[in-house]
Amino acid sequence: MRSLNRNRMPFFILFLIHTFLLIVTVHKSKNRKKIFVLLLANMGFSYLFEYFVFNLMKAYSYKPKILQKKLFDNILGAFLSQAIYVPFTAVFLTGIKSGWGTKVAAGLYFYLVEKIFLWLGVFKLSGWKSIYTLIFLPLYFKLSDLWFASLNKKTSMVRFISLFFMIMVTETNLFLIFAFIRRYRFGIGKYHSWKEHFILSPLYTTLLSLFTAFSLKKENTLAVKLGVVLFAACLNKLFQRIKLLKNNLHPISYFGIRLIMTSIYGEYRKWIYGDVENESLENKKTNK
């Protein structure tokens, strides 16, 4: 029991620290929706990085000993790192308009945390080097600043990629829950291993998220949302037919979840593109 607490405690302490940073950022922000958009965009970048370095290359692993199954426990550790610790810090640094000195200090902080985690035995390197953390994190924090500035300028590409990232992160988290409760499993052949699942699942959610983002970017209507639900159902059926997916969700539950998620993505779209309709009306009035 003492060993379990010893492994969990560092992750729990970091969770409290970085959640506090996000609360401070949200509290001080004048536009909380835009902060949330930035947060999910930062998570999107982290998830892309994690897919290649963690899922494919297996360059490091975590041992929080929160979940009994080692693979799930490892995935949970990665989730805490890439969905909470790093993105929450990036949003905080952007919110306080930090300079390079503060960003480098934050990178040094994560470098030291990594060293402590290695010493405690709750983190293991298998190709990744701590110096990479010190080098790349300040650049990631700067990217967060540039991304937020582009959102404020309403840059078209940044808006669309942000919408895609928001959908992709939400879908990834949803499918992670499905995996933990053993409702979804991707794989090749009759036996679908969890290692195969965590390689194929992000590809599936990326495809679904791209279609959803492209569809909602054009229009945020009921017809478009129903089209997204239909595409998701067809994609789900296709993956089952070619035996790349085992789905244990009841059809009614599946469609209910998809309708709810698509409605949420419609709200995401409003947060990013909601003013486009107003701008169009203003332009028409100006032209008249």
Side-chain angles (χ1 to χ4, degrees):
M1 186 67 181
R2 292 177 61 185
S3 176
L4 289 177
N5 290 334
R6 181 175 178 273
N7 281 57
R8 292 176 185 175
M9 192 56 66
F11 290 91
F12 180 68
I13 291 173
L14 284 188
F15 177 82
L16 291 179
I17 292 172
H18 294 277
T19 300
F20 174 75
L21 292 181
L22 182 64
I23 291 172
V24 170
T25 307
V26 171
H27 178 71
K28 291 186 175 182
S29 174
K30 295 180 180 178
N31 191 332
R32 293 175 180 176
K33 288 182 179 179
K34 193 166 288 185
I35 287 294
F36 186 69
V37 172
L38 176 65
L39 175 62
L40 289 189
N42 279 328
M43 287 184 187
F45 283 115
S46 293
Y47 279 20
L48 285 180
F49 167 84
E50 196 80 340
Y51 178 70
F52 291 102
V53 178
F54 177 76
N55 290 32
L56 297 181
M57 298 172 60
K58 305 187 185 305
Y60 44 76
S61 59
Y62 300 86
K63 295 180 181 179
K65 290 192 176 181
I66 297 172
L67 300 177
Q68 290 185 348
K69 192 174 182 62
K70 288 185 179 180
L71 180 60
F72 284 0
D73 196 54
N74 187 20
I75 294 292
L76 179 60
F79 171 81
L80 290 171
S81 176
Q82 300 304 325
I84 296 178
Y85 306 154
V86 175
F88 283 21
T89 304
V91 171
F92 172 75
L93 293 176
T94 297
I96 64 173
K97 299 179 180 179
S98 65
W100 274 109
T102 306
K103 289 177 174 58
V104 171
L108 179 61
Y109 157 78
F110 276 103
Y111 172 84
L112 293 176
V113 165
E114 199 170 287
K115 289 295 186 182
I116 293 172
F117 272 40
L118 288 168
W119 177 68
L120 291 173
V122 299
F123 184 61
K124 182 180 179 182
L125 299 179
S126 304
W128 184 261
K129 295 182 180 180
S130 296
I131 190 65
Y132 298 159
T133 300
L134 184 60
I135 294 172
F136 291 119
L137 272 185
L139 299 177
Y140 169 78
F141 296 145
K142 182 61 178 179
L143 175 61
S144 177
D145 292 350
L146 297 175
W147 203 262
F148 192 61
S150 295
L151 280 172
N152 287 326
K153 292 178 182 177
K154 301 175 182 178
T155 305
S156 178
M157 183 175 292
V158 169
R159 277 176 151 184
F160 174 75
I161 296 175
S162 295
L163 177 61
F164 163 69
F165 275 152
M166 292 178 79
I167 297 170
M168 184 197 74
V169 166
T170 307
E171 283 290 331
T172 300
N173 294 343
L174 178 65
F175 276 86
L176 184 61
I177 295 172
F178 285 160
F180 284 173
I181 62 175
R182 300 176 185 274
R183 289 294 180 268
Y184 258 70
R185 185 183 290 196
F186 292 88
I188 300 172
K190 291 184 178 180
Y191 177 75
H192 293 183
S193 71
W194 285 115
K195 290 182 179 180
E196 291 175 344
H197 172 87
F198 288 110
I199 291 176
L200 292 175
S201 178
L203 300 178
Y204 180 92
T205 56
T206 297
L207 180 59
L208 179 57
S209 301
L210 275 174
F211 180 87
T212 305
F214 274 116
S215 299
L216 290 175
K217 179 181 181 294
K218 296 177 181 178
E219 286 184 303
N220 191 12
T221 62
L222 178 60
V224 169
K225 291 175 183 176
L226 290 176
V228 169
V229 173
L230 180 61
F231 174 82
C234 291
L235 188 65
N236 183 76
K237 192 67 177 178
L238 174 63
F239 270 65
Q240 286 181 283
R241 183 65 62 86
I242 60 178
K243 302 187 184 304
L244 288 178
L245 169 65
K246 291 180 180 178
N247 177 7
N248 294 324
L249 279 175
H250 190 279
I252 294 177
S253 299
Y254 174 80
F255 277 102
I257 292 170
R258 289 265 54 101
L259 286 169
I260 292 170
M261 299 314 297
T262 306
S263 297
I264 291 173
Y265 302 149
E267 290 301 308
Y268 288 172
R269 195 267 188 192
K270 288 180 183 178
W271 294 359
I272 298 175
Y273 290 101
D275 57 348
V276 171
E277 287 81 359
N278 295 331
E279 289 173 0
S280 298
L281 290 173
E282 289 176 4
N283 289 336
K284 288 181 180 178
K285 291 179 180 179
T286 302
N287 292 333
K288 289 181 179 179

